[in-house]
Amino acid sequence: MDVKTEQTRQVQFVIKTSKLCNLRCRYCYEYLELGDRQAMTLDQLDTMYRHIASYYSRLDFKTEIQFVWHGGEPLLHSPDYYWQTFDRQQEIFGELASSVTNVVQTNLTTLNQERLNLLTEGFDGVGVSIDLFGGLRTRQTGNDSVVTVLKNIDRLIQNKIKFGCITVLTKASLPYLQEIFSFYEKMNVHFRLLPLFDGAFDGQHQGFEITPAEVLPALCDLVDMWMASQTTISIQPISEHIATIIRHYSPEVATYFYDKAEWESIYLVNVNGDVFSYGDGYDPNFCHGNLFTTPLEQIALSPVHRQVISRAEERMMTACSSCKYFGSCSGYPMAEEAIMTHQVDLEGNLQCIVTKGILEHIEMRLIQAGVIDPLTGRINDLDVIQSQIDRLRETSSPQADDAALSRI
Ligand code: SF4
């Protein structure tokens, strides 16, 4: 057995290069800063790389480090900005460079040949933000951006660029769930259905706000659509929840628990270098430190980081310790996502409404399908479950030979 491989860990740095954006999506949590041209400089990025490289090079196991380039709209930067910083990254990470990848999350409205080259040869992955329905991803004029994005998706396909999509679930897109699923199924494109996060100001989401009690049945419907289909696309978070139930009924699989004190898997880095856990983004009370001025080692050991860890552990203790799925589910949803997705009951008590609800739904469906035997607590039909696992493992890039625009 390759011990090195077994011990490999992953970490993501979500890099807010600039908040500047050409769109004004109505739910954007950066809304008030979308006109701000301030950007991370190449020198600041160099310093950040040095601090990150120094921290991970001292560990006695391999770490895969991924930079997720985010905004605003990250492709508003000139492609040269990325080519230069990627060169510097290779130099600074040295021996670690082969473990470093770069992906970009884009609204895909500013594509030209230079940017297509960047997406083809510079980035290792591309995430496209598109809701397809609901009309909330608007330009400054108020016009919907969807037609432009669909045309540009076609250009990605023509250029054989791998991509996945993120669609935000709001009250405006909720009625189109079947159409959204069918679009991605026919296009053979992986996607994540992301519930609405808190906005940038009070009342921003008025008219399309969605509660956990509405998100849960929508995701359960999506589970049913996926199970009824023969598609091999991965739908997050559905695919990871199906994997959780498979683990839950696989006694030979070791339990695992999210241990934030032992390993941070995602850091959010703001334009000014401030570092946050994803769930506490931009709350000045929970800034771990600054990667433009401070070594990551110091940031990881900072009193604020310890406080953030304690808060996450408390959330897990409250919601997860009595949950039957704990150990198959790591508790990560309560530790890191509960605050921004409002996982509370009517009395305001923390409760795992969405994740636990979906897990129960998947479990029920697999029992109904005869895949799980509720009496033995084992998986009955290993062939069926293997095919489910194969589908989850499928990482096919888009194979669509049809135009995205014609799928709507
Ligand atoms: S389903 Fe929810 S409560 Fe249960 S372990 Fe996972 S995050 Fe915790």
Side-chain angles (χ1 to χ4, degrees), residues 211-270:
T211 65
E214 292 166 314
V215 170
L216 174 57
L219 290 179
C220 290
D221 285 349
L222 202 53
V223 168
D224 293 348
M225 291 174 205
W226 189 84
M227 285 187 166
S229 134
Q230 289 306 310
T231 181
T232 57
I233 61 169
S234 158
I235 305 174
Q236 296 300 349
I238 304 299
S239 300
E240 63 196 51
H241 292 324
I242 293 174
T244 297
I245 291 301
I246 291 169
R247 274 196 302 275
H248 188 62
Y249 283 92
S250 306
E252 64 282 3
V253 176
T255 52
Y256 80 115
F257 302 93
Y258 179 57
D259 187 347
K260 188 175 171 71
E262 213 254 325
W263 189 254
E264 275 286 1
S265 48
I266 305 183
Y267 288 104
L268 177 69
V269 188
N270 204 2

Side-chain angles (χ1 to χ4, degrees), residues 56-179:
Y56 292 101
S57 62
R58 286 184 211 164
L59 304 180
D60 56 6
F61 50 84
K62 186 177 168 191
T63 306
E64 289 169 354
I65 302 164
Q66 184 166 77
F67 292 99
V68 182
W69 298 88
H70 228 272
E73 169 48 38
L75 293 186
L76 289 183
H77 285 294
S78 95
D80 198 45
Y81 174 86
Y82 291 104
W83 290 121
Q84 285 190 53
T85 199
F86 291 162
D87 282 348
R88 297 290 300 139
Q89 203 179 60
Q90 288 289 310
E91 208 173 298
I92 291 167
F93 278 89
E95 281 183 6
L96 284 185
S98 61
S99 306
V100 175
T101 53
N102 293 283
V103 300
V104 63
Q105 186 65 36
T106 172
N107 65 32
L108 207 66
T109 55
T110 57
L111 212 53
N112 56 16
Q113 192 53 51
E114 270 187 295
R115 287 176 173 81
L116 276 170
N117 294 344
L118 180 69
L119 297 183
T120 309
E121 289 161 30
F123 286 106
D124 301 289
V126 180
V128 177
S129 302
I130 180 171
D131 292 351
L132 299 166
F133 299 96
L136 299 179
R137 298 192 59 82
T138 48
R139 298 177 182 279
Q140 296 185 45
T141 56
N143 294 336
D144 197 335
S145 61
V146 68
V147 172
T148 304
V149 184
L150 289 169
K151 285 180 180 167
N152 284 334
I153 282 180
D154 288 341
R155 296 175 73 192
L156 296 187
I157 293 167
Q158 284 154 15
N159 284 273
K160 301 193 182 342
I161 296 170
K162 293 182 180 180
F163 67 98
C165 292
I166 289 183
T167 292
V168 175
L169 183 64
T170 65
K171 202 68 133 297
S173 55
L174 185 63
Y176 301 98
L177 197 61
Q178 178 67 60
E179 286 85 350

Side-chain angles (χ1 to χ4, degrees), residues 19 25-34 136 168-170 195-206 208-210 279-283 339-342:
K19 303 296 173 77
C25 300
R26 289 182 51 202
Y27 47 67
C28 182
Y29 57 85
E30 308 282 12
Y31 200 89
L32 299 176
E33 297 176 73
L34 295 173
L136 299 179
V168 175
L169 183 64
T170 65
L196 195 60
F197 294 166
D198 279 345
F201 54 89
D202 286 346
Q204 184 182 357
H205 294 166
Q206 208 170 7
F208 52 85
E209 197 152 16
I210 190 164
D280 298 313
Y282 309 150
D283 185 332
I339 302 296
M340 58 188 182
T341 56
H342 300 285

Side-chain angles (χ1 to χ4, degrees), residues 316 319-320 323-327 329-334 352 355-356 359:
M316 280 172 67
C320 303
C323 173
K324 67 174 179 175
Y325 301 116
F326 197 33
C329 170
S330 69
Y332 183 92
M334 285 317 287
C352 184
T355 301
K356 196 169 176 186
L359 291 175

